[in-house]
Amino acid sequence: MSESNETSGRHADVDIAGVDTVVAEAAAPERDIAVKVGDDLVEVKNLTMRFGGLLALDDISFTIKRGEILGLIGPNGAGKTTCFNAMTGVYKPTSGQVLLEGRVLNGVKQHKITRAGLARTFQNIRLFGEMTALENVVVGLDARHKTSVIGALLRLPRHTREEKSAIERGMALLEFVGIADQAATLSRHLPYGSQRRLEIARALATDPKVLCLDEPAAGFNPAEKEELMQLIRTIRDDGYTVLLIEHDMKLVMGVTDRIVVLEFGKKIADNVPSVIREDPKVISAYLGEPEDDFA
Amino acid sequence: MSMVDGPTPLHTAKADQAAEDREAVGTPPGSSAAVRRKGWFGGLGEKWQELPRQKQWAVLIIVVVLAYLLPVINPPLISTEPGNDFPLACQTMAVWALVAVGLNVVIGYAGLLDLGYIAFFAVGSYVAAMLTSPDSTFLKIPYLWTIPVAMAVTMFFGVLLGVPTLRLRGDYLAIVTLGFGEIVRILATIIPAMKGQVGFQNLGHPPGLDAHGVPIFANSNGTPWYWLTLTILIIVLLLAGNLERSRVGRNWIAIREDEDAAETMGVPTFKYKVWAFAIGAGIGGMSGALMSGQVGFVNNQKFDVVTSVLFVAAVVLGGAGNKVGAILGGALVAYIPLRFTAIADYKYLIFGLALCLIMIFRSHGLLAARQQLLAYGRHAYNEVKARTDAKSAKAKAAPGKEASL
């Protein structure tokens, strides 16, 4: 875990103490995952998504291995977010399957997909503006809670227990992403960078097996982007599996273990970053056909 | 309140400490203006949150005792007499407050615009009437039992309406509920057992005779009815508070804020919307039973759309999302026409204007307080506050470091 300590030191300007191992421990996922580290946790099989005449996703297949950071990249309009939405149940795929630990997610309701262990953030921040940062995170934690309406009404023991543990774990998660000082601030009053981090904390709160981040660094300057990438690494080191959509290819190269490249709804490459970097198809998708002085 | 404010100071912080801090750190530009803008009821909600628990209880007990004594004291300026009997006016206000608290669950918490809330009020009234009035052919039960029965029946109707319609959002839901309000009224007219305009007379009342052998809960004796309604109102408030500071309240507010994001965060949105509808309906049914019990007569004339809109006006006026605000709104909407009888005929004009003004100047209602959504949040927030205090003290000591914070 030495790397995690080192990386956490880098966003120490948000929290002087940095993310210490105690916090990392408290924020770590709490449940058993049936798949071993390195095996396929999520399988996307022949996923096709059609909107009327538009073929947004064309027969996409890839896997996410437990414990890795998988990058999903592609130029604007390549179908990255559509792929996300089809995986997390926002869209119903035209054909194909998404499997989590071998369990088919097609047709499962969104909130059940989240409970099954696939959590996501949004490209355009969608926090609950009238709630404090801590409350936002606790909503995520509630995905694992079992208090019923009657239990809450009469303040039964389980409610008390869950409320207390939620505060502790919620604060630990805020600490983990580096915004614990702003726990009591309404989320719409938070600075932009903190909002992005809060979105990640809220998604982590659902105790996901796979954390899907949709352009978490959008609107960040290079320094902030670098900090965020460190956070994502820390999250992975803490035992989460991460699917990262990112637009900025240079950035994604540094943080991911493997990259899937989409263009016009088709998968054009799936490999480790060093190979992707040299792949002529990927280069032409991003830069157009290479010119002499560019390549 | 806070839609336009700058960063909100921590709610649980002690007031003086917070003020000190703001001076020390330098106030963010928005917040001082925001404090001023809050006006009359100003940071009341925040000040309230900053009070220690014991003081809160002390204030609450005084308020509750005063509330119970209200019809007995009959304060001169506030009194609705000679135009209207004051204890009866109190009862009406309490019933409206209860209605507003119930509707607040639906509109204020879950953000579902229900324009047909009168339907649930009507169902509750009819349950009380048909189970106690000698005019009805149904089996008779003691009046007090009709209150839970009315609640159960209206909750059932809430679910019945909610399950097919809560897939709709926003304006569409409002229109469907508006229709439902009318359906109940029209059913009361055309179903023979519900006796249309003839209605039901001599509804039951709670037992008990006074020294003269007159029932304590006579139709004209407002005070005991008011006490009964107020007691129920307080119980409902406590339970609503429990819901607010729990998973249920958080899920409702999450749905109100962003339904899609809530669903993605694992909130079973549909289920919780139905719950909000059912709980709101149950409270509406109870208030209907209480109102009709006191009046002693129910027919199809009182349950029109306009009253339904007044219910919504009461919630919005008081502050949607805040149960105390809803009580204030409900009581005011009932009180004003009773107190100022000369202008009672123009009440819709006045409430309309008042709503316009509220929307312009206090878009979150008279008493807009943010919901407290964590049962044990106080402690955590205090800790955060203590830490940031320590940090800003450190920054003060070493001014060079402040920039990096």
Side-chain angles (χ1 to χ4, degrees), chain A residues 110-111 114-115 120 126 129-132 135 138 142 145 147 152-153 155 159-160 163 167 171 175 181 184 186 188-189, chain B residues 2 5-6 8 10 242-243 246-247 250 254 257-258 260 263-266 268 275 370 373 375-376 380-381 384 387 391:
Chain A
Q110 270 186 70
H111 68 263
T114 306
R115 281 162 195 230
R120 68 169 293 182
R126 292 178 79 168
E130 281 287 311
M131 293 189 189
T132 65
E135 284 163 1
V138 176
D142 283 333
H145 289 169
T147 304
L153 197 66
R155 310 193 77 158
H159 161 78
T160 313
E163 286 291 315
I167 302 264
M171 285 307 293
E175 190 103 17
D181 289 352
L186 289 194
R188 64 188 163 72
H189 290 158
Chain B
S2 33
D5 296 353
T8 347
L10 301 169
N242 280 356
L243 284 183
S246 79
R247 181 182 183 209
R250 285 191 295 272
E257 295 288 301
D258 189 334
D260 297 321
E263 177 81 23
T264 309
M265 285 305 129
W275 265 114
R370 217 187 60 77
L373 300 173
Y376 303 98
Y381 289 148
V384 172
R387 259 195 356 195
K391 227 180 251 187

Short mmCIF file of all heavy atoms in Angstrom, two decimals, chain A residues 110-111 114-115 120 126 129-132 135 138 142 145 147 152-153 155 159-160 163 167 171 175 181 184 186 188-189, chain B residues 2 5-6 8 10 242-243 246-247 250 254 257-258 260 263-266 268 275 370 373 375-376 380-381 384 387 391:
data_model
loop_
_atom_site.label_atom_id
_atom_site.label_comp_id
_atom_site.label_asym_id
_atom_site.label_seq_id
_atom_site.Cartn_x
_atom_site.Cartn_y
_atom_site.Cartn_z
N GLN A 110 -32.80 -0.03 -12.86
CA GLN A 110 -31.56 0.70 -12.57
C GLN A 110 -31.11 0.59 -11.13
O GLN A 110 -29.94 0.37 -10.85
CB GLN A 110 -31.80 2.18 -12.88
CG GLN A 110 -31.49 2.56 -14.28
CD GLN A 110 -31.63 4.06 -14.40
OE1 GLN A 110 -30.84 4.82 -13.88
NE2 GLN A 110 -32.65 4.50 -15.11
N HIS A 111 -32.06 0.80 -10.19
CA HIS A 111 -31.61 0.80 -8.79
C HIS A 111 -31.14 -0.59 -8.37
O HIS A 111 -30.30 -0.72 -7.50
CB HIS A 111 -32.71 1.34 -7.87
CG HIS A 111 -33.91 0.48 -7.73
ND1 HIS A 111 -35.05 0.67 -8.46
CD2 HIS A 111 -34.14 -0.60 -6.95
CE1 HIS A 111 -35.94 -0.23 -8.13
NE2 HIS A 111 -35.42 -1.01 -7.22
N THR A 114 -27.57 -0.97 -9.57
CA THR A 114 -26.67 -0.32 -8.61
C THR A 114 -26.43 -1.21 -7.41
O THR A 114 -25.32 -1.36 -6.93
CB THR A 114 -27.28 1.02 -8.15
OG1 THR A 114 -27.58 1.79 -9.30
CG2 THR A 114 -26.31 1.77 -7.27
N ARG A 115 -27.52 -1.82 -6.90
CA ARG A 115 -27.36 -2.70 -5.74
C ARG A 115 -26.56 -3.94 -6.10
O ARG A 115 -25.86 -4.51 -5.25
CB ARG A 115 -28.73 -3.13 -5.23
CG ARG A 115 -29.35 -2.04 -4.41
CD ARG A 115 -30.82 -2.27 -4.26
NE ARG A 115 -31.43 -1.05 -3.78
CZ ARG A 115 -32.25 -1.00 -2.75
NH1 ARG A 115 -32.57 -2.08 -2.10
NH2 ARG A 115 -32.76 0.15 -2.38
N ARG A 120 -22.20 4.43 -10.85
CA ARG A 120 -21.65 5.34 -11.85
C ARG A 120 -21.71 6.79 -11.39
O ARG A 120 -22.44 7.15 -10.47
CB ARG A 120 -22.46 5.22 -13.14
CG ARG A 120 -23.87 5.75 -12.99
CD ARG A 120 -24.54 5.86 -14.32
NE ARG A 120 -23.91 6.87 -15.15
CZ ARG A 120 -24.35 7.20 -16.36
NH1 ARG A 120 -25.36 6.57 -16.89
NH2 ARG A 120 -23.75 8.14 -17.03
N ARG A 126 -24.54 15.51 -11.37
CA ARG A 126 -25.94 15.44 -10.93
C ARG A 126 -26.00 15.07 -9.46
O ARG A 126 -26.36 13.95 -9.11
CB ARG A 126 -26.71 14.44 -11.79
CG ARG A 126 -26.85 14.92 -13.21
CD ARG A 126 -27.54 13.94 -14.07
NE ARG A 126 -28.97 13.98 -13.88
CZ ARG A 126 -29.81 13.36 -14.71
NH1 ARG A 126 -29.36 12.69 -15.72
NH2 ARG A 126 -31.10 13.41 -14.50
N GLY A 129 -28.74 18.84 -5.02
CA GLY A 129 -28.27 20.17 -4.66
C GLY A 129 -28.67 20.66 -3.28
O GLY A 129 -27.92 21.35 -2.63
N GLU A 130 -29.87 20.30 -2.84
CA GLU A 130 -30.36 20.81 -1.56
C GLU A 130 -29.87 19.98 -0.38
O GLU A 130 -30.30 20.19 0.75
CB GLU A 130 -31.90 20.83 -1.56
CG GLU A 130 -32.50 22.00 -2.31
CD GLU A 130 -32.33 23.32 -1.55
OE1 GLU A 130 -32.65 23.35 -0.36
OE2 GLU A 130 -31.88 24.29 -2.16
N MET A 131 -29.04 18.99 -0.65
CA MET A 131 -28.51 18.18 0.45
C MET A 131 -27.06 18.54 0.69
O MET A 131 -26.35 18.94 -0.22
CB MET A 131 -28.56 16.70 0.08
CG MET A 131 -29.93 16.13 -0.05
SD MET A 131 -29.75 14.36 -0.21
CE MET A 131 -31.41 13.91 -0.63
N THR A 132 -26.63 18.32 1.93
CA THR A 132 -25.22 18.56 2.22
C THR A 132 -24.39 17.45 1.58
O THR A 132 -24.92 16.43 1.13
CB THR A 132 -24.96 18.53 3.74
OG1 THR A 132 -25.22 17.22 4.21
CG2 THR A 132 -25.83 19.52 4.47
N GLU A 135 -24.95 14.21 3.35
CA GLU A 135 -26.25 13.60 3.04
C GLU A 135 -26.24 12.95 1.67
O GLU A 135 -26.82 11.88 1.47
CB GLU A 135 -27.36 14.65 3.14
CG GLU A 135 -27.73 14.99 4.57
CD GLU A 135 -28.51 16.28 4.70
OE1 GLU A 135 -28.79 16.93 3.66
OE2 GLU A 135 -28.82 16.67 5.82
N VAL A 138 -24.67 9.70 2.06
CA VAL A 138 -25.51 8.76 2.80
C VAL A 138 -26.63 8.20 1.90
O VAL A 138 -27.02 7.04 2.06
CB VAL A 138 -26.06 9.40 4.08
CG1 VAL A 138 -27.01 8.48 4.80
CG2 VAL A 138 -24.91 9.75 5.02
N ASP A 142 -27.40 4.35 1.53
CA ASP A 142 -28.73 3.78 1.75
C ASP A 142 -29.01 2.61 0.80
O ASP A 142 -29.85 1.77 1.09
CB ASP A 142 -29.81 4.85 1.56
CG ASP A 142 -29.91 5.77 2.76
OD1 ASP A 142 -29.57 5.32 3.86
OD2 ASP A 142 -30.34 6.92 2.59
N HIS A 145 -28.68 -0.21 2.80
CA HIS A 145 -29.44 -0.25 4.04
C HIS A 145 -30.75 -0.99 3.85
O HIS A 145 -31.27 -1.09 2.75
CB HIS A 145 -29.72 1.17 4.55
CG HIS A 145 -28.49 1.84 5.07
ND1 HIS A 145 -28.44 3.17 5.37
CD2 HIS A 145 -27.26 1.35 5.34
CE1 HIS A 145 -27.23 3.48 5.81
NE2 HIS A 145 -26.49 2.41 5.79
N THR A 147 -33.45 -0.54 6.29
CA THR A 147 -34.53 0.04 7.10
C THR A 147 -35.78 0.22 6.25
O THR A 147 -35.71 0.72 5.14
CB THR A 147 -34.10 1.42 7.64
OG1 THR A 147 -32.89 1.25 8.36
CG2 THR A 147 -35.16 1.99 8.55
N ALA A 152 -38.22 3.23 10.08
CA ALA A 152 -37.80 4.62 10.23
C ALA A 152 -38.84 5.40 11.03
O ALA A 152 -38.49 6.22 11.87
CB ALA A 152 -37.61 5.26 8.86
N LEU A 153 -40.10 5.10 10.79
CA LEU A 153 -41.20 5.80 11.46
C LEU A 153 -41.10 5.60 12.97
O LEU A 153 -41.27 6.54 13.74
CB LEU A 153 -42.53 5.24 10.94
CG LEU A 153 -43.79 6.04 11.19
CD1 LEU A 153 -43.74 7.34 10.43
CD2 LEU A 153 -45.00 5.24 10.77
N ARG A 155 -38.42 4.37 14.59
CA ARG A 155 -37.00 4.40 14.98
C ARG A 155 -36.58 3.07 15.60
O ARG A 155 -36.07 3.03 16.72
CB ARG A 155 -36.72 5.55 15.94
CG ARG A 155 -37.26 6.86 15.44
CD ARG A 155 -36.72 8.00 16.22
NE ARG A 155 -35.35 8.28 15.81
CZ ARG A 155 -34.76 9.44 15.99
NH1 ARG A 155 -35.39 10.42 16.60
NH2 ARG A 155 -33.53 9.63 15.58
N HIS A 159 -32.69 0.89 12.30
CA HIS A 159 -32.59 2.26 11.80
C HIS A 159 -31.48 3.00 12.54
O HIS A 159 -30.62 3.62 11.93
CB HIS A 159 -33.94 2.96 12.00
CG HIS A 159 -33.90 4.45 11.95
ND1 HIS A 159 -33.82 5.15 10.78
CD2 HIS A 159 -33.90 5.38 12.93
CE1 HIS A 159 -33.78 6.44 11.04
NE2 HIS A 159 -33.83 6.61 12.34
N THR A 160 -31.49 2.89 13.87
CA THR A 160 -30.48 3.56 14.67
C THR A 160 -29.08 3.09 14.29
O THR A 160 -28.17 3.89 14.09
CB THR A 160 -30.72 3.26 16.16
OG1 THR A 160 -32.11 3.46 16.42
CG2 THR A 160 -29.91 4.16 17.05
N GLU A 163 -28.14 4.32 10.77
CA GLU A 163 -27.89 5.77 10.73
C GLU A 163 -26.51 6.07 11.29
O GLU A 163 -25.78 6.88 10.75
CB GLU A 163 -28.96 6.50 11.55
CG GLU A 163 -30.31 6.58 10.88
CD GLU A 163 -30.30 7.49 9.66
OE1 GLU A 163 -29.74 8.58 9.73
OE2 GLU A 163 -30.86 7.07 8.63
N ILE A 167 -23.15 7.59 9.13
CA ILE A 167 -22.41 8.84 9.38
C ILE A 167 -20.91 8.54 9.36
O ILE A 167 -20.13 9.25 8.73
CB ILE A 167 -22.80 9.42 10.75
CG1 ILE A 167 -24.29 9.68 10.79
CG2 ILE A 167 -21.97 10.65 11.06
CD1 ILE A 167 -24.70 11.06 10.48
N MET A 171 -18.50 9.91 6.41
CA MET A 171 -17.39 10.82 6.67
C MET A 171 -16.08 10.23 6.17
O MET A 171 -15.24 10.94 5.62
CB MET A 171 -17.29 11.13 8.17
CG MET A 171 -18.33 12.09 8.71
SD MET A 171 -18.48 13.64 7.82
CE MET A 171 -16.90 14.39 8.19
N GLU A 175 -13.62 11.92 3.49
CA GLU A 175 -12.19 12.06 3.80
C GLU A 175 -11.35 11.44 2.69
O GLU A 175 -10.35 11.99 2.24
CB GLU A 175 -11.92 11.35 5.13
CG GLU A 175 -10.57 11.59 5.71
CD GLU A 175 -10.62 12.58 6.86
OE1 GLU A 175 -11.71 12.81 7.39
OE2 GLU A 175 -9.58 13.10 7.20
N ASP A 181 -13.86 18.34 4.94
CA ASP A 181 -14.08 19.63 5.56
C ASP A 181 -15.38 20.27 5.10
O ASP A 181 -15.94 21.14 5.76
CB ASP A 181 -12.93 20.59 5.21
CG ASP A 181 -11.66 20.20 5.92
OD1 ASP A 181 -11.74 19.29 6.78
OD2 ASP A 181 -10.61 20.78 5.63
N ALA A 184 -20.62 19.56 5.66
CA ALA A 184 -21.87 20.20 6.04
C ALA A 184 -22.34 21.23 5.02
O ALA A 184 -23.35 21.89 5.21
CB ALA A 184 -21.71 20.87 7.40
N LEU A 186 -23.99 22.55 1.56
CA LEU A 186 -24.93 22.09 0.54
C LEU A 186 -24.15 21.80 -0.72
O LEU A 186 -23.27 22.57 -1.11
CB LEU A 186 -25.98 23.16 0.25
CG LEU A 186 -27.03 23.43 1.31
CD1 LEU A 186 -28.17 24.25 0.71
CD2 LEU A 186 -27.57 22.15 1.89
N ARG A 188 -24.74 22.04 -3.79
CA ARG A 188 -24.68 23.00 -4.91
C ARG A 188 -23.85 24.23 -4.57
O ARG A 188 -23.60 25.06 -5.43
CB ARG A 188 -26.07 23.39 -5.37
CG ARG A 188 -26.86 24.12 -4.37
CD ARG A 188 -28.30 24.30 -4.82
NE ARG A 188 -29.11 24.63 -3.69
CZ ARG A 188 -29.07 25.81 -3.09
NH1 ARG A 188 -28.26 26.75 -3.54
NH2 ARG A 188 -29.81 26.04 -2.06
N HIS A 189 -23.46 24.35 -3.32
CA HIS A 189 -22.56 25.45 -2.97
C HIS A 189 -21.09 25.04 -3.02
O HIS A 189 -20.21 25.86 -2.80
CB HIS A 189 -22.87 25.97 -1.56
CG HIS A 189 -24.17 26.69 -1.48
ND1 HIS A 189 -24.87 26.85 -0.32
CD2 HIS A 189 -24.92 27.27 -2.44
CE1 HIS A 189 -25.98 27.50 -0.56
NE2 HIS A 189 -26.03 27.77 -1.85
N SER B 2 -32.57 29.25 0.38
CA SER B 2 -31.16 29.12 0.09
C SER B 2 -30.86 29.01 -1.40
O SER B 2 -29.71 28.86 -1.77
CB SER B 2 -30.61 27.91 0.84
OG SER B 2 -31.60 26.93 0.91
N ASP B 5 -28.64 31.95 -1.90
CA ASP B 5 -27.62 32.31 -0.92
C ASP B 5 -26.22 31.94 -1.38
O ASP B 5 -26.04 31.13 -2.27
CB ASP B 5 -27.84 31.57 0.39
CG ASP B 5 -29.15 31.98 1.03
OD1 ASP B 5 -29.77 32.93 0.51
OD2 ASP B 5 -29.52 31.36 1.99
N GLY B 6 -25.28 32.52 -0.69
CA GLY B 6 -23.90 32.09 -0.83
C GLY B 6 -23.71 30.81 -0.04
O GLY B 6 -24.68 30.22 0.43
N THR B 8 -23.61 28.23 2.70
CA THR B 8 -24.30 28.27 3.98
C THR B 8 -23.32 27.95 5.09
O THR B 8 -22.55 27.01 4.95
CB THR B 8 -25.40 27.21 4.03
OG1 THR B 8 -25.59 26.73 2.72
CG2 THR B 8 -26.66 27.76 4.61
N LEU B 10 -22.19 26.33 8.63
CA LEU B 10 -22.58 25.05 9.20
C LEU B 10 -23.78 25.24 10.11
O LEU B 10 -23.80 26.14 10.94
CB LEU B 10 -21.39 24.50 10.01
CG LEU B 10 -20.15 24.31 9.14
CD1 LEU B 10 -18.95 24.05 9.99
CD2 LEU B 10 -20.38 23.20 8.17
N ASN B 242 -39.38 11.84 12.28
CA ASN B 242 -38.63 10.59 12.24
C ASN B 242 -38.36 10.15 10.80
O ASN B 242 -37.26 9.72 10.47
CB ASN B 242 -39.42 9.47 12.93
CG ASN B 242 -39.29 9.53 14.43
OD1 ASN B 242 -38.56 10.37 14.94
ND2 ASN B 242 -39.99 8.67 15.12
N LEU B 243 -39.40 10.28 9.97
CA LEU B 243 -39.23 9.87 8.57
C LEU B 243 -38.22 10.76 7.87
O LEU B 243 -37.39 10.30 7.10
CB LEU B 243 -40.56 9.93 7.83
CG LEU B 243 -41.54 8.81 8.12
CD1 LEU B 243 -42.78 8.97 7.27
CD2 LEU B 243 -40.91 7.45 7.86
N SER B 246 -34.29 10.12 8.13
CA SER B 246 -34.02 8.69 7.93
C SER B 246 -33.79 8.45 6.45
O SER B 246 -33.87 9.36 5.64
CB SER B 246 -35.20 7.85 8.40
OG SER B 246 -36.21 7.87 7.41
N ARG B 247 -33.56 7.23 6.14
CA ARG B 247 -33.42 6.80 4.77
C ARG B 247 -34.62 7.26 3.92
O ARG B 247 -34.47 7.68 2.78
CB ARG B 247 -33.39 5.28 4.82
CG ARG B 247 -33.23 4.64 3.52
CD ARG B 247 -33.26 3.14 3.70
NE ARG B 247 -33.04 2.53 2.43
CZ ARG B 247 -33.51 1.36 2.09
NH1 ARG B 247 -34.21 0.66 2.94
NH2 ARG B 247 -33.29 0.88 0.90
N ARG B 250 -34.44 11.01 3.15
CA ARG B 250 -33.35 11.25 2.19
C ARG B 250 -33.74 10.81 0.80
O ARG B 250 -33.48 11.50 -0.18
CB ARG B 250 -32.09 10.51 2.64
CG ARG B 250 -31.38 11.13 3.80
CD ARG B 250 -30.03 10.49 4.01
NE ARG B 250 -30.12 9.10 4.40
CZ ARG B 250 -30.23 8.66 5.64
NH1 ARG B 250 -30.25 9.51 6.62
NH2 ARG B 250 -30.31 7.37 5.91
N ALA B 254 -34.04 13.15 -2.41
CA ALA B 254 -33.23 12.79 -3.58
C ALA B 254 -34.12 12.71 -4.82
O ALA B 254 -33.74 13.19 -5.89
CB ALA B 254 -32.51 11.47 -3.35
N GLU B 257 -34.97 16.18 -5.90
CA GLU B 257 -33.86 16.92 -6.48
C GLU B 257 -33.49 16.42 -7.87
O GLU B 257 -33.22 17.21 -8.76
CB GLU B 257 -32.63 16.81 -5.57
CG GLU B 257 -32.81 17.46 -4.22
CD GLU B 257 -32.82 18.97 -4.32
OE1 GLU B 257 -31.84 19.52 -4.81
OE2 GLU B 257 -33.83 19.58 -3.93
N ASP B 258 -33.42 15.12 -8.04
CA ASP B 258 -33.05 14.56 -9.34
C ASP B 258 -33.44 13.09 -9.37
O ASP B 258 -32.72 12.23 -8.86
CB ASP B 258 -31.54 14.71 -9.56
CG ASP B 258 -31.14 14.34 -10.98
OD1 ASP B 258 -31.87 13.54 -11.61
OD2 ASP B 258 -30.11 14.83 -11.46
N ASP B 260 -33.68 10.82 -11.72
CA ASP B 260 -32.84 9.86 -12.44
C ASP B 260 -31.57 9.54 -11.66
O ASP B 260 -31.17 8.38 -11.54
CB ASP B 260 -32.46 10.41 -13.82
CG ASP B 260 -33.69 10.60 -14.68
OD1 ASP B 260 -34.58 9.73 -14.61
OD2 ASP B 260 -33.76 11.60 -15.38
N GLU B 263 -32.41 7.23 -8.79
CA GLU B 263 -32.56 5.84 -9.24
C GLU B 263 -31.18 5.21 -9.45
O GLU B 263 -30.94 4.08 -9.04
CB GLU B 263 -33.38 5.82 -10.54
CG GLU B 263 -33.57 4.46 -11.17
CD GLU B 263 -34.69 3.65 -10.54
OE1 GLU B 263 -35.59 4.24 -9.95
OE2 GLU B 263 -34.63 2.41 -10.64
N THR B 264 -30.29 5.98 -10.05
CA THR B 264 -28.95 5.46 -10.30
C THR B 264 -28.18 5.20 -9.01
O THR B 264 -27.30 4.36 -8.97
CB THR B 264 -28.16 6.46 -11.17
OG1 THR B 264 -28.97 6.78 -12.29
CG2 THR B 264 -26.86 5.90 -11.63
N MET B 265 -28.52 5.94 -7.96
CA MET B 265 -27.83 5.75 -6.69
C MET B 265 -28.50 4.65 -5.86
O MET B 265 -28.24 4.52 -4.67
CB MET B 265 -27.81 7.05 -5.88
CG MET B 265 -26.83 8.03 -6.42
SD MET B 265 -25.20 7.31 -6.51
CE MET B 265 -24.76 7.67 -8.18
N GLY B 266 -29.40 3.90 -6.47
CA GLY B 266 -29.97 2.76 -5.78
C GLY B 266 -31.26 3.06 -5.02
O GLY B 266 -31.70 2.25 -4.22
N PRO B 268 -35.07 3.04 -4.87
CA PRO B 268 -36.23 2.53 -5.63
C PRO B 268 -37.26 3.64 -5.74
O PRO B 268 -38.16 3.74 -4.90
CB PRO B 268 -36.72 1.36 -4.79
CG PRO B 268 -35.98 1.37 -3.52
CD PRO B 268 -35.01 2.50 -3.52
N TRP B 275 -45.02 5.43 -1.55
CA TRP B 275 -45.07 5.62 -0.10
C TRP B 275 -45.43 7.05 0.26
O TRP B 275 -46.22 7.29 1.17
CB TRP B 275 -43.73 5.26 0.53
CG TRP B 275 -43.64 3.87 1.05
CD1 TRP B 275 -42.83 2.87 0.58
CD2 TRP B 275 -44.37 3.29 2.15
NE1 TRP B 275 -43.02 1.72 1.31
CE2 TRP B 275 -43.95 1.95 2.28
CE3 TRP B 275 -45.33 3.78 3.02
CZ2 TRP B 275 -44.46 1.09 3.25
CZ3 TRP B 275 -45.85 2.93 3.99
CH2 TRP B 275 -45.42 1.60 4.10
N ARG B 370 -34.27 24.18 5.66
CA ARG B 370 -33.82 22.99 4.97
C ARG B 370 -34.13 21.78 5.84
O ARG B 370 -34.10 21.84 7.05
CB ARG B 370 -32.32 23.11 4.78
CG ARG B 370 -31.80 22.57 3.50
CD ARG B 370 -30.28 22.60 3.56
NE ARG B 370 -29.79 21.80 4.65
CZ ARG B 370 -29.73 20.48 4.60
NH1 ARG B 370 -30.13 19.83 3.54
NH2 ARG B 370 -29.27 19.79 5.61
N LEU B 373 -31.68 15.69 7.40
CA LEU B 373 -31.92 14.36 6.84
C LEU B 373 -31.12 13.27 7.53
O LEU B 373 -31.20 12.11 7.14
CB LEU B 373 -31.58 14.37 5.35
CG LEU B 373 -32.41 15.36 4.53
CD1 LEU B 373 -31.91 15.42 3.12
CD2 LEU B 373 -33.86 14.97 4.55
N ALA B 375 -30.23 11.38 11.17
CA ALA B 375 -30.65 11.27 12.57
C ALA B 375 -29.51 11.63 13.51
O ALA B 375 -29.74 12.15 14.59
CB ALA B 375 -31.15 9.86 12.84
N TYR B 376 -28.30 11.36 13.12
CA TYR B 376 -27.18 11.63 14.01
C TYR B 376 -26.16 12.54 13.35
O TYR B 376 -24.96 12.40 13.54
CB TYR B 376 -26.53 10.30 14.44
CG TYR B 376 -27.53 9.40 15.10
CD1 TYR B 376 -28.15 8.39 14.37
CD2 TYR B 376 -27.89 9.59 16.42
CE1 TYR B 376 -29.11 7.58 14.96
CE2 TYR B 376 -28.84 8.79 17.01
CZ TYR B 376 -29.45 7.79 16.28
OH TYR B 376 -30.40 7.01 16.86
N ALA B 380 -21.56 14.76 13.79
CA ALA B 380 -20.57 14.74 12.70
C ALA B 380 -20.27 16.15 12.22
O ALA B 380 -19.11 16.53 12.04
CB ALA B 380 -21.07 13.88 11.55
N TYR B 381 -21.34 16.95 12.04
CA TYR B 381 -21.14 18.30 11.55
C TYR B 381 -20.33 19.12 12.55
O TYR B 381 -19.49 19.93 12.18
CB TYR B 381 -22.48 18.98 11.28
CG TYR B 381 -23.20 18.42 10.09
CD1 TYR B 381 -24.58 18.37 10.04
CD2 TYR B 381 -22.50 17.95 8.98
CE1 TYR B 381 -25.25 17.85 8.95
CE2 TYR B 381 -23.15 17.43 7.89
CZ TYR B 381 -24.53 17.38 7.88
OH TYR B 381 -25.19 16.88 6.79
N VAL B 384 -16.70 18.32 12.15
CA VAL B 384 -16.15 18.97 10.97
C VAL B 384 -15.87 20.42 11.27
O VAL B 384 -14.82 20.97 10.96
CB VAL B 384 -17.13 18.86 9.78
CG1 VAL B 384 -16.65 19.69 8.62
CG2 VAL B 384 -17.27 17.42 9.37
N ARG B 387 -12.92 20.94 13.37
CA ARG B 387 -11.68 20.75 12.62
C ARG B 387 -11.35 21.95 11.75
O ARG B 387 -10.22 22.41 11.72
CB ARG B 387 -11.79 19.50 11.76
CG ARG B 387 -11.07 18.35 12.39
CD ARG B 387 -10.84 17.23 11.50
NE ARG B 387 -11.44 17.37 10.19
CZ ARG B 387 -11.58 16.37 9.36
NH1 ARG B 387 -11.18 15.17 9.72
NH2 ARG B 387 -12.11 16.53 8.18
N LYS B 391 -8.23 24.52 11.88
CA LYS B 391 -7.41 24.77 10.70
C LYS B 391 -7.31 26.25 10.40
O LYS B 391 -6.23 26.77 10.12
CB LYS B 391 -8.01 24.05 9.50
CG LYS B 391 -6.95 23.29 8.72
CD LYS B 391 -7.58 22.59 7.57
CE LYS B 391 -7.61 21.10 7.78
NZ LYS B 391 -8.08 20.42 6.60
#
